[in-house]
Amino acid sequence: MGREGAGPVIDSIAHEAGPPATAPDFRHVETWIFDLDNTLYHADSNLFAQIESRMTEFIAHRLDVHPGEAYTLQHFYFRSYGSTLRGLMECDHVDPDEFLNYVHDVDLSPLHPEPALRPALERLTGRRAVFTNGSRDHAERVLKQIGLDGLWADIWDIHTIGFVPKPRPEAYDRIVAAGGFDPHAAAMFEDTARNLVPAHALGMTTVFIRSDTRWSIQGPQVSATPRQNFSYEIDDLADFLQTIRL
């Protein structure tokens, strides 16, 4: 698989004493794929609460409905179409960039770098990518705020996947085509359970980051997500990345 022009490649770092042989084995992984929101920063920052509130405001103003009705519609679209934006596009002919610019105009000050996460990411061998249902601009702003800018070979955003969001299988096919990588040599990290199902079907190693937010739990969706779709379930991303075998 060619890597020319793919962005920064991570050098392997030799350690005198690596993880034990019983540690999770990621030696086959060449491409590391991370969700953005509530994955590369902790969900308790409540940044997504700001985004959610602005989604409600946008729908209320754009469709001229009461905020309560807007909130209900927003979550119905999320459950039914994979993202609120996709539902608005298909049902209400909303311009996607108008929506994205509005909902991502949020205060990032609640986000703070996690000191252990950058070195944990830097030790990975291969290349790293962010895969988000949001915009590239939002991803770049967040990554800079949390001190993780400059680490990524690719940022696959909602434009990359043609506004067909996770967990639609077409979205995953598009990032595989865009990145030119072998899914069997890839690992994907997500806080939303159902978004790992198509990744698992393609042969990726899947890591579910547990969270008690409703965007992660999604009511009946998680209970209906078979655990065999997760290679691993974790609570702390930085700690996990420091302990895996490379």
Side-chain angles (χ1 to χ4, degrees):
M1 174 179 64
R3 295 236 177 116
E4 294 183 6
V9 175
I10 310 147
D11 294 327
S12 177
I13 301 175
H15 296 271
E16 291 183 5
T22 55
D25 191 350
F26 281 71
R27 290 176 295 175
H28 64 292
V29 175
E30 299 174 353
T31 301
W32 304 82
I33 304 167
F34 296 86
D35 176 48
L36 178 70
D37 293 308
N38 297 337
T39 294
L40 290 175
Y41 61 82
H42 288 297
D44 60 12
S45 68
N46 289 323
L47 180 67
F48 213 82
Q50 291 189 59
I51 296 173
E52 181 181 23
S53 177
R54 290 190 67 79
M55 287 183 188
T56 304
E57 290 176 8
F58 180 91
I59 294 169
H61 294 154
R62 180 68 167 73
L63 302 185
D64 192 23
V65 297
H66 185 274
E69 183 180 349
Y71 181 83
T72 298
L73 188 61
Q74 153 186 347
H75 284 265
F76 170 75
Y77 282 164
F78 175 71
R79 292 190 300 270
S80 301
Y81 293 91
S83 73
T84 299
L85 172 58
R86 189 67 192 183
L88 288 168
M89 290 175 64
E90 293 197 11
C91 299
D92 304 295
H93 311 292
V94 166
D95 176 78
D97 288 319
E98 178 188 359
F99 174 84
L100 291 167
N101 291 338
Y102 188 90
V103 303
H104 288 152
D105 185 14
V106 293
D107 175 19
L108 299 185
S109 62
L111 298 181
H112 303 284
E114 181 185 350
L117 185 53
R118 187 176 183 102
L121 289 165
E122 288 177 331
R123 76 178 288 263
L124 303 179
T125 55
R127 64 177 180 177
R128 316 172 197 88
V130 170
F131 178 22
T132 175
N133 277 346
S135 68
R136 184 184 184 95
D137 178 68
H138 173 66
E140 289 176 341
R141 289 178 62 229
V142 168
L143 292 169
K144 183 176 182 179
Q145 178 70 17
I146 60 178
L148 298 181
D149 51 325
L151 292 177
W152 309 96
D154 299 283
I155 297 176
W156 299 312
D157 74 341
I158 196 66
H159 293 86
T160 308
I161 55 181
F163 300 101
V164 177
K166 297 182 279 185
R168 298 268 286 272
E170 306 98 298
Y172 300 75
D173 293 338
R174 292 186 184 194
I175 69 161
V176 170
F181 64 89
D182 177 4
H184 291 88
M188 183 170 171
F189 297 76
E190 258 278 1
D191 72 297
T192 302
R194 67 177 184 172
N195 288 350
L196 289 172
V197 176
H200 175 81
L202 287 173
M204 297 186 201
T205 299
T206 52
V207 182
F208 176 48
I209 303 170
R210 290 184 286 256
S211 170
D212 60 1
T213 66
R214 63 177 171 273
W215 291 97
S216 175
I217 296 172
Q218 300 171 58
Q221 281 84 352
V222 162
S223 63
T225 302
R227 283 302 191 255
Q228 63 263 30
N229 288 284
F230 313 145
S231 306
Y232 302 93
E233 294 185 50
I234 66 173
D235 297 302
D236 188 296
L237 178 60
D239 181 67
F240 182 75
L241 293 178
Q242 288 286 11
T243 60
I244 62 178
R245 299 169 67 194
L246 299 174

